[in-house]
Amino acid sequence: MPVLNQMNAMHAAMMDWRHDFHAHPELSLKEMRTSRKVQQLLNSFGVDEVHYGLAGTGVVGVIRGSRPGPAIGLRADMDALPISEATALPYASRNAGVMHACGHDGHTTMLLGAAAYLAGTRDFAGTVYTIFQPAEEDRDGADIMVREGLFEKFPMERIFGLHNWPSHPAGHFFWRNGPIMAAAAHIDITITGKGAHAAHPHQGIDPVLASAHVITALHSLVSRSIDPVDGGVVSVCGIEAGHAYNVIPDAVHLKGSARWFTDEVEKILREGVERVSSQVAGAFGATAEVAFQQTCIATINERGPTALTRTAAEAVVGEAAVHYLEKPSMGAEDFSSMLRQKSGSYIILGAGGEPQVPQLHNPRYDFNDEILPIGAAYWATLAEQVLANQICIRAL
Ligand SMILES: [Zn+2]
Ligand SMILES: [Zn+2]
């Protein structure tokens, strides 16, 4: 029976797991309940080993095939976001202010579905590590798992990741060689002037006016300093200043995000944010203190493993539903920290497609249950194909 049919037979069970994860979302590095449930389910499937504790709540389920061979890793993320859910679903979040608004409840469930199938069939040569990672949204859980010895404890030749995208048609896959997700940095800028009475601005140095010019000038970095064919973003997203109608404050705090793909653009943005902030603030007699903190490196897919993901996706949904992703996303993904160490690839699974479908990180978003069997079948097929025989994987 085709893998997808077997996953369809598990659809109701997968929906139950997903809705339970959704009702009990947990923030980055606090995925205690989620992690416990993942461990319990993996044990109930009869996987060979369940390891717990990498990056705190991380779980690795080990499944050995019926024949010897190399090992691969399949990775899902488990954490939720600090968002108040506005869906009114029967399984809406019961943790106030925390929500699965990125679909990691669905990612975890699809990998569990694959684990259940692979532990039951074992029709592959080698070992599959199912990796359930904490803290994708914040704190770079992938990097923590790697630093705590993921690839030493579980030596593997390849690693694969997946994310749902509600902006793309449900059940369609999108693959890409090279960059697929951007590198990211948090930007913090404190502009300090001299507070004064609003009626006597000449007695102070107005940091609010200086910050307005800094914000405007920061937006010239991408348009004037970066090669127009390269990608780059600088967004100022937060402004904190005074609270009174008649007081010019001492300081203004700005926060925002920068995104890029290449080292060259990173250098331009890192140096540019510092230079523009301090020199523009200086023109007003104010000072600027700048922190440019990289949170993620770019996610770069390798050609060989990407071809494997494409073949697996085509086996599940057919060639017509597997597409080349023309443009990378300026979103960031900490799976990049695993790809930096290990050969692999990251694929997009469409989860919506209609313009009115709420997008990722929206309080009305909900993971599309329709794609649970498709994602699970993709993981299982990828494992069976990549580990079909040892000679094949080594040749690629
Ligand atoms: Zn997210
Ligand atoms: Zn996500």
Side-chain angles (χ1 to χ4, degrees), residues 140-154:
D140 200 352
D143 187 50
I144 301 173
M145 284 190 95
V146 170
R147 282 191 279 114
E148 292 186 0
L150 175 68
F151 295 133
E152 289 75 36
K153 286 189 172 77
F154 308 101

Side-chain angles (χ1 to χ4, degrees), residues 164-244:
N164 82 99
W165 276 15
S167 56
H168 285 51
H172 288 238
F173 285 87
F174 297 83
W175 59 272
R176 191 169 206 285
N177 289 319
I180 185 162
M181 302 287 282
H186 289 335
I187 301 170
D188 284 280
I189 305 168
T190 303
I191 296 167
T192 305
K194 185 176 159 213
H197 194 300
H200 311 296
H202 60 290
Q203 293 173 350
I205 296 171
D206 184 355
V208 177
L209 176 62
S211 72
H213 284 265
V214 167
I215 293 167
T216 306
L218 285 174
H219 284 84
S220 68
L221 277 174
V222 171
S223 68
R224 301 293 89 174
S225 304
I226 292 175
D227 185 329
V229 299
D230 288 338
V233 178
V234 174
S235 290
V236 177
C237 305
I239 307 173
E240 284 170 31
H243 304 285

Side-chain angles (χ1 to χ4, degrees), residues 77 102-104 107 136-137 163 333 360-361:
D77 37 19
C102 204
H104 298 185
H107 298 168
E136 192 284 325
E137 297 289 358
H163 208 293
E333 163 62 72
L360 301 175
H361 294 210

